């Protein structure tokens, strides 16, 4: 069976006043039906650009090369009419910050109904209303909340409305771009449980983007870690979280405090510095300036993403194949 989503050698470069900004560089990954693939990394590593490019939502200043295949059709070269039909019905996206994505002066039920009415014009009003109620209940909200305005809902409830909107036209693929960033820990767990349950029940494929590696380890089947616009490690979620291969992945995992551990409280782990500006990437490995095991050899050439262990790929010359 072919992958539901297959990204091949994708690069996205923005035109800026300071010069070209390569936000995504040669990314290849895949998502199958019924699978959650997580994408992790700090802010500025290219995650959101990757998410927007899957549905060709990037601005006009972006130059895109490579392929983004959704059910075998290349989104990058797709005609506008076909692209419009794909959005919502074939693939949909859940953005971070639902309050900014929802229309403040329309009831949430009307906003969930809109994609159904646009993509399925033959569906009657009564059927649309029934489906809106079913979608709200599917994400853990009473159908009566369809009459609420966004400001009358909590942050977690608004995010559930966004998920209901994304599922309105029964897409095969859902892209969730940091859907829990603005939520507290308890509500975040609830929303993630909803997303995971929907993937299992509906058999959709999901690309889940987050800066929080522990969130992805809990909800994803596989994880790809991005740094400097590239994938630097990918593999099964549980293995990648508990036994990272790339030093950047290890630093991400170590940055979370361990409850009850005095050493973690008084000397919290972390990673000094910030991700590089994509316009001024350092020579060789882009992680080298922050890497705890880097050597001068790391500046000679950018490392290739290659298999280091069975099912585990990493881009690091300091990691031996085993």
């Amino acid at each position: 069976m072919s992958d539901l989503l297959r990204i091949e050698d994708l690069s996205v470069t923005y035109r800026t006043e300071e010069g070209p900004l390569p936000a995504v560089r040669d990314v290849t990954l895949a998502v199958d039906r019924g699978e959650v693939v997580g994408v992790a990394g700090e802010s500025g590593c290219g995650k959101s650009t990757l998410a927007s490019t899957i549905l060709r939502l990037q601005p006009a200043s972006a130059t895109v090369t490579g392929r983004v295949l959704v059910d075998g059709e290349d989104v990058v070269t797709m005609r506008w009419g076909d692209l419009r039909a794909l959005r919502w019905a074939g693939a949909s996206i859940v953005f971070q910050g639902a309050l900014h994505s929802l229309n403040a002066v329309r009831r949430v039920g009307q906003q969930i109904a809109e994609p159904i009415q646009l993509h399925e014009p033959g569906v009657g009003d009564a059927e649309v209303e029934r489906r809106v109620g079913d979608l709200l209940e599917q994400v853990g909200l009473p159908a009566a909340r369809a009459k609420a305005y966004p400001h009358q809902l909590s942050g977690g409830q608004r995010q559930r409305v966004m998920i209901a909107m994304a599922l309105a036209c029964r897409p095969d693929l859902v892209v969730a771009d940091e859907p829990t960033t603005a939520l507290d820990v308890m509500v975040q767990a609830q929303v993630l449980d909803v997303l995971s349950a929907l993937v299992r029940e509906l058999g959709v494929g999901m690309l889940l983007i987050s800066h929080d590696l522990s969130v992805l380890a809990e909800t994803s089947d596989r994880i790809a870690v991005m740094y400097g616009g590239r994938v630097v490690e990918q593999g099964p979620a549980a293995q990648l979280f508990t036994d990272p291969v790339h030093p950047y992945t290890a630093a991400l995992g170590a940055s979370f405090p361990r409850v009850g551990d005095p050493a973690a409280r008084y000397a919290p782990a972390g990673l000094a510095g910030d991700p590089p500006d994509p316009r001024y990437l350092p020579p060789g490995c882009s992680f080298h300036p922050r890497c705890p095991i880097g050597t001068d050899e790391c500046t000679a050439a950018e490392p290739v993403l290659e298999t280091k262990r069975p099912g585990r790929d990493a881009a690091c010359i300091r990691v031996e194949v085993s």
Side-chain angles (χ1 to χ4, degrees):
M1 180 184 296
S2 61
D3 297 310
L4 174 60
L5 168 68
R6 181 157 188 83
I7 299 172
E8 298 178 348
D9 302 320
L10 180 68
S11 294
V12 183
T13 301
Y14 297 116
R15 296 189 304 275
T16 70
E17 293 181 356
E18 293 80 14
L21 190 156
V24 172
R25 301 185 295 134
D26 299 319
V27 169
T28 294
L29 58 82
V31 181
D32 206 348
R33 289 170 175 81
E35 181 182 41
V36 180
V37 175
V39 179
E42 296 168 280
S43 296
C45 289
K47 306 185 304 299
S48 291
T49 293
L50 177 68
S52 64
T53 306
I54 292 171
L55 287 175
R56 216 164 89 190
L57 297 173
Q58 70 276 5
S61 61
T63 300
V64 180
T65 60
R67 301 205 300 170
V68 179
L69 303 174
V70 178
D71 254 345
E73 298 293 326
D74 191 356
V75 174
V76 175
T77 58
M78 190 177 286
R79 294 181 304 174
W80 169 246
D82 295 332
L83 180 62
R84 186 175 183 276
L86 172 72
R87 293 172 176 169
W88 293 104
S92 60
I93 188 166
V94 180
F95 294 105
Q96 56 179 308
L99 190 60
H100 304 295
S101 301
L102 294 170
N103 189 328
V105 298
R106 297 187 67 200
R107 299 181 192 275
V108 296
Q110 295 173 316
Q111 298 183 63
I112 298 171
E114 184 175 10
I116 302 174
Q117 294 164 337
L118 286 174
H119 288 271
E120 304 176 38
V123 179
D125 292 343
E127 174 64 11
V128 171
E129 184 177 356
R130 183 194 66 77
R131 283 176 56 178
V132 168
D134 288 346
L135 284 162
L136 286 171
E137 291 177 354
Q138 202 168 34
V139 297
L141 292 175
R145 300 306 279 164
K147 299 183 183 299
Y149 289 95
H151 73 272
Q152 295 174 314
L153 302 176
S154 70
Q157 290 173 329
R158 287 193 291 265
Q159 202 63 49
R160 290 169 188 249
V161 169
M162 289 292 295
I163 297 169
M165 289 177 63
L167 297 171
C169 294
R170 305 184 178 107
D172 294 321
L173 174 68
V174 176
V175 179
D177 184 10
E178 303 209 39
T180 61
T181 296
L183 306 178
D184 63 63
V185 175
M186 293 300 293
V187 177
Q188 174 178 280
Q190 294 168 6
V191 171
L192 291 171
D193 285 344
V194 168
L195 286 170
S196 299
L198 291 171
V199 170
R200 291 193 302 269
E201 293 168 9
L202 304 179
V204 302
M206 181 175 294
L207 188 74
L208 178 59
I209 293 173
S210 177
H211 62 275
D212 192 331
L213 192 60
S214 63
V215 163
L216 296 179
E218 184 72 22
T219 56
S220 303
D221 299 294
R222 293 184 292 113
I223 296 177
V225 177
M226 291 186 68
Y227 188 84
R230 298 181 68 217
V231 173
V232 295
E233 183 174 354
Q234 59 184 356
Q239 292 181 24
L240 190 140
F241 185 67
T242 59
D243 184 26
V245 171
H246 195 283
Y248 178 61
T249 308
L252 283 181
S255 65
F256 300 101
R258 296 180 296 280
V259 176
D261 185 349
R265 185 173 66 218
Y266 293 118
L271 187 59
D274 298 302
D277 186 326
R279 288 167 295 203
Y280 309 107
L281 291 172
C285 175
S286 55
F287 184 59
H288 168 258
R290 304 170 74 193
C291 183
I293 63 171
T295 66
D296 290 343
E297 186 181 2
C298 299
T299 64
E302 192 160 49
V304 176
L305 184 68
E306 59 184 350
T307 301
K308 298 292 186 178
R309 300 176 188 170
R312 305 285 298 282
D313 296 340
C316 181
I317 63 171
R318 301 280 286 137
V319 176
E320 299 294 332
V321 176
S322 62

